[in-house]
Amino acid sequence: MSTRHESAHLHVSGRALYTDDISLPSNTLHAAFGLSSIAHGRIRTLNIGPVQSFPGVFAVASAADVPGENNYGSAVPDDPIFAPGLVEYVGAPIFAVAADQYITARKAAQLAQVDYEPLPAILDIRAALAANATVLPPQRLLRGRPHEMLAEAPHRLKGTVHVGGQDHLYLEGQIAIAVPQEDGAMLIHSSTQHPSEVQQIVAHALSKHANQITVQCRRMGGGFGGKETQPALIAAAAAVLAHKTGRPIKLRLDRDTDMVMTGKRHDFLADYEVGFDSSGRIMALSVMLASRCGYSADLSGPVNDRAMMHLDNAYFLENVEIVSHRCKTHTVSNTAFRGFGGPQGMVVIEQIVDSIARALGMDPLAVRRRNFYGTHARNVTPYGQIVEDNLVHLIVDRLVESSHYRERRRQIAEWNATEPPVRRGIALTPVKFGISFTATLFNQAGALIHVYTDGTVLLNHGGTEMGQGLFTKVAQVVATELGLPLAAIRVSATDTSKVPNTSATAASASSDLNGKAAQAAAQTIRERLTQFACEAYSVTATEVTFKDGQVFIGSQQMSFAELVQQAYRARISLSSTGYYRTPKIEYDKSTLRGRPFFYYAYGAAVSEVAVDTLTGETRLLRVDILHDAGRPLNAAIDLGQVEGGFLQGVGWLTSEELWWNERGELRTHAPSTYKIPTARDWPPQWRVELLEGRPNSEDTIYRSKAVGEPPLMLAISTLLAIRDAIASCGSARALPDLVAPATPEAVLRCIENINAGTIVYQAALVGEEAGL
Ligand code: MTE
Ligand code: HPA
Ligand code: MOS
């Protein structure tokens, strides 16, 4: 069903209510944070006198004002709400100030006098590795005999892959409103993917019980993973000030503060050695994977686990070792971002495969195919999960045909052979992405459905809406189950007082989880109504059907509303909860073994680019995508996810560069210096399609597949197409040392290196054919 987004009319007319648009009680105060200006140091003295005496200021809260736990860490309690005396990044919150006006609070926040004792700061991954600074212990994934097989391999290649981080740049920044209620209770409006965690953390911070805190979110203006853990900080600080003043507090970060203060995608580096045969088959791989976690753990454990478990992507790695270091740096604590470490893992193997092909003088696609997971053999992942429904071959075969990959590759080679200043490049990359939270316990969901006597339905479930279309999809499920038009279903704000103990809306699994939970609730109501109809009209259950807002009972027909009214009069309950937990998954996170994922989602993309070798500018000329969404719940929304995810990935890999100076200050902290893609970066030629005729082989909601994150990784094809164009500037078998993001500067540097004949990539072909 390709219905439009349930809020589309509100989005386009500017009437959709975001947290900032909620009407405030007249006594509301506005808050702003005071931030650390140094990367690492002790606070000797904090003088907030000038802040407090600024006209319009009502209160200031710092660590000492937190009645309960001064912490918002989700997995590990290492994230102070207000710095307790030690600051560990530029932008760490030290205090928050509440004033009558937003601008007053911001001005006052600048006036604190902080005397620091500076400590040495570790600012990047290499420095952290050298100092052995980590936020969590390393992890190791091992299969087979990688080191022996490396020694035996006829070809070996060593290198380093660098991939940058990414700011979420959600259009709506972080925001929370805390409204004190009677008897110590607190209502929180939060732009959050995880209302239950905000509830818990606010309760702990205020030393209250969960049943005293209610968190609501109707929608976010984008989350992309940036609102999985970070909103708890904003909400907790607002709640502490609300508690202190007894007045409602609104705390909204301006864009620059948001970018400086809140966590981003982890940047990674990977030192690898790969052994392969002359056909391009990978015989052994050893990877040292290291990521910048920032000053605290946040979600870095599961993010790095997912990176390890996606380093295989679509390839069978028989002998493999991946050692993962979770590096501690004195920079902002990095967090979830669309793909959750998966994209970083995949970039590593895709670059390795590309280098193998270049080293052997082969088409990278041929090397990819040589290494794909099989459908019956060679189909077990390094972590032990069997790849059961492998669609990679089917998708890649179809895409090669529909995109005319071979023909275009030949034409591009001919074009480049004339050595034009604008080179072209093409690449096809696949995606295989595991669906489920790797922490098995999060794979559960609840829903609550009320049917009113006029036959309308109010639906609530544990998921949150961030633009991805979850509310639309879950409403479609309920409409389908009750045989109602979609217009009869209204989805209300996510609310911890309606569905408790919810998981974050994340891991792309929310329509799988909440769709099934809502289906269960709707089925309960349908069964009650059916049973009532059977008794009232002396028919059997098979004679009762719900369709198009009508109910057919034997030879009778009435509106859904009519049956509901009759049932109400007969005292039948018209409200129900529903619950779902994902079957089949089991996984031991200490050994990284088991079946973490219910199933995989697949896709593939072909990108063609032009690279101006004089300026380093790149342009995406054409993209062809074939993506697997199972039997789509809503093909229109899914195509939107594929297109948006792809372009967000292109931004990550080509233009979005996070740059910290030697003092640990983020200098790219606004859209003026941090370049996200816009509609104009969409290629002039494109064909985006969903794979047809392949419903999910697992029993998901209507056999659909999750679609939120996997398409982001299709953008790796763009990075490798740029690499392909640059490679044409060098001698045969040259290996471009292209880093991501491939900004014009990075592209020019790479071209210079390749022109100079040096392979600064540190990738050196060793073994019997060394010196090729
Ligand atoms: N799409 C939009 N428009 N806005 C978003 O913030 N977040 C992405 C993806 N698609 C996001 C989005 C991320 S990171 C995830 S995990 C999924 O949506 C979450 O929603 P789902 O589980 O319903 O797919
Ligand atoms: N994906 C996204 N978010 C998460 C996960 C995951 O696997 N685990 C915990 N939060
Ligand atoms: Mo998405 S990174 O799992 O919020």
Side-chain angles (χ1 to χ4, degrees), residues 620 642-652 656 677-679 681-683 711 715:
L620 184 56
V642 174
E643 292 165 10
F646 171 76
L647 199 61
Q648 190 168 42
V650 170
W652 168 47
E656 298 182 37
T678 64
D681 295 296
W682 189 256

Side-chain angles (χ1 to χ4, degrees), residues 20 29 36 49 96 176 233-234 260 337 348 363 367 482 503 564 639 641 663 677 713:
D20 197 31
L29 299 174
S36 167
L233 166 62
I234 318 301
V260 166
F337 196 138
V348 174
D363 177 352
V367 177
L482 297 178
S503 299
V564 162
L639 283 169
Q641 287 290 295
R663 288 188 298 278
M713 288 150 269

Side-chain angles (χ1 to χ4, degrees), residues 5 168 170 193 220-228 265 336-340 433 437 463-471 473-474 504-514 640-641 644-645 648 705-712:
H5 192 285
H168 302 85
Y170 24 59
Q193 293 173 238
M220 285 160 273
F224 305 113
K227 292 175 182 168
E228 186 168 337
R265 185 189 290 286
F337 196 138
R338 206 171 195 169
F340 205 75
F433 191 80
F437 287 93
T464 57
E465 177 64 37
M466 56 191 111
Q468 85 278 39
L470 175 65
F471 280 19
K473 289 180 175 180
V474 182
T505 301
S508 305
S510 316
S511 49
D512 290 16
L513 296 170
N514 296 287
Q641 287 290 295
Q648 190 168 42
K705 281 194 182 182
V707 73
E709 295 165 287
L712 181 128

